Amino acid sequence: MTAIVPIQQGTLSLAAMHLRGGGLVAMPTETVYGLACNAANPDAVVRLYEAKGRPRFNPLIAHVASMEIAEQEAVFSDQAREIAAKFWPGPLTMVLPVAPTGTVSDIARAGLDTIALRMPAHPGALAMLRTFGKPLVAPSANRSGHVSPTTAQHVKADLDGKVDLILDGGPCERGIESTIVSFIGERPVLLRAGALETSILNEALGGTLVVRGEDDGISAPGQLKSHYAPNAHLRPNADAPEPGEGWLGFGSSPIPGTNLSEAGDLREAAKNLFAALRTLDAGFDRIAVAHIPNEGLGEAINDRLARAAHRD
Ligand code: AMP
Ligand code: MG
């Protein structure tokens, strides 16, 4: 049994002790709950991959609490630094060349000479990072491929007994994963649509963001075709449920069921998405989902729904 404890000074110290000993601690971020371990400890990172059942070729995001630590881990171009200044702390992950002074273990980077870095905005995550003092890798705290957790209880449902401590900071504000942008090539490339709207990122990049097509290969597992999946069969873009289907609605509608946002607010829908999928998954073998407009955060929501619907 893993304990769920509120984030406070005492529990942060306890968590830091676990982390220093190579343990695993789940913590809230503004996107989803992360499963954190010492990024510099290869044994801890192996434990983390095993607890999630995550394939080792799938590298992890390292989380930092300051630009000083970020610059120790990665080489920032002027443009990358400008983007970090604009969007950090926040739901943006930047893929950059590893710095010679980097401490994040090879295995956390899946052997790549690049590193994915993020400074989360959640005060609890920042407090955890500051208390620990060094980068933490923190992929979503769920079984690999399953629905991402947006509450401490979701984490427990997936990983009870496999993690040392779950820090509870309430439901996640954003509810979907970070946007991932790569600064490795000549132009910045969007690797995963996420909680920072693509259009806002592109505008900050002066319209230079490259948004790749489906067939360009997998460089982020958010790009695996089947991911974020409930057990139930999912039918996105539906007009109404068929007999036996659970209904996940959006906007005002007379159809009974669960609703992502009665007001038709995409931000609220993103925040509710994974919890709604978990709730419906517990009651139905099949789930029909209403049409979600493919604009703003709708892009990231539809991306998650398409992958949740895909069967290999
Ligand atoms: P998750 O932590 O499960 O949200 O996934 C982290 C995402 O960051 C995955 O899609 C990784 O593939 C991606 N990622 C981590 N490191 C790199 C890297 N060096 N290059 C490209 N993508 C990365
Ligand atoms: Mg994940």
Side-chain angles (χ1 to χ4, degrees):
M1 287 273 286
T2 306
I4 298 181
V5 295
I7 299 192
Q8 295 159 352
Q9 206 164 9
T11 54
L12 285 168
S13 306
L14 176 65
M17 198 187 74
H18 282 299
L19 292 168
R20 279 193 293 272
L24 308 181
V25 171
M27 67 175 182
T29 80
E30 74 276 28
T31 58
V32 302
Y33 272 72
L35 182 56
C37 80
N38 180 357
N41 179 340
D43 294 331
V45 175
V46 167
R47 257 193 88 197
L48 188 152
Y49 275 101
E50 280 169 2
K52 274 184 64 82
R54 179 167 171 128
R56 300 264 178 96
F57 61 76
N58 191 343
L60 305 172
I61 297 171
H63 294 67
V64 296
S66 71
M67 248 349 255
E68 196 188 334
I69 295 179
E71 300 248 15
Q72 205 176 312
E73 299 298 333
V75 179
F76 283 74
S77 62
D78 289 346
Q79 185 184 44
R81 203 169 282 124
E82 204 178 296
I83 291 298
K86 189 156 189 145
F87 295 110
W88 280 1
L92 178 69
T93 295
M94 303 186 18
V95 174
L96 299 160
V98 177
T101 49
T103 63
V104 173
S105 65
D106 253 18
I107 184 155
R109 292 184 282 104
L112 298 170
D113 53 10
T114 56
I115 183 165
L117 276 188
R118 180 163 99 87
M119 191 189 297
H122 192 292
L126 284 173
M128 183 72 261
L129 285 163
R130 290 198 187 106
T131 305
F132 185 61
K134 293 187 292 184
L136 293 169
V137 283
S140 54
N142 55 281
R143 284 182 288 111
S144 184
H146 192 220
V147 181
S148 301
T150 55
T151 67
Q153 288 70 31
H154 294 163
V155 177
K156 193 168 168 81
D158 261 34
L159 296 175
D160 197 15
K162 294 187 170 168
V163 311
D164 295 297
L165 193 65
I166 301 172
L167 295 171
D168 191 348
C172 299
E173 188 61 32
R174 301 297 191 119
I176 50 175
E177 292 79 359
S178 60
T179 300
I180 305 181
V181 60
S182 166
F183 286 95
I184 299 304
E186 297 229 318
R187 281 172 58 186
V189 177
L190 182 75
L191 297 183
R192 175 172 78 187
L196 174 66
E197 286 95 328
T198 305
S199 58
I200 294 177
L201 176 62
N202 191 27
E203 196 185 315
L205 288 164
T208 60
L209 182 67
V210 178
V211 180
R212 282 184 175 167
E214 277 276 317
D215 309 326
D216 296 336
I218 295 164
S219 43
Q223 294 178 341
L224 292 174
K225 275 192 176 151
S226 174
H227 207 72
Y228 314 111
N231 295 315
H233 181 266
L234 205 74
R235 188 168 65 87
N237 235 335
D239 293 322
E242 288 169 1
E245 280 184 332
W247 177 245
L248 185 53
F250 175 77
S252 72
S253 150
I255 304 173
T258 304
N259 201 309
L260 287 173
S261 167
E262 301 260 356
D265 176 352
L266 288 166
R267 201 174 163 124
E268 185 184 17
K271 181 175 176 175
N272 290 334
L273 177 67
F274 289 130
L277 285 177
R278 280 178 186 259
T279 304
L280 285 164
D281 202 21
F284 295 92
D285 294 330
R286 294 182 299 134
I287 303 167
V289 189
H291 173 76
I292 314 281
N294 206 36
E295 62 199 30
L297 285 177
E299 186 197 351
I301 295 171
N302 282 322
D303 168 85
R304 304 302 183 275
L305 287 171
R307 288 173 217 289
H310 186 88
R311 300 281 140 167
D312 287 321

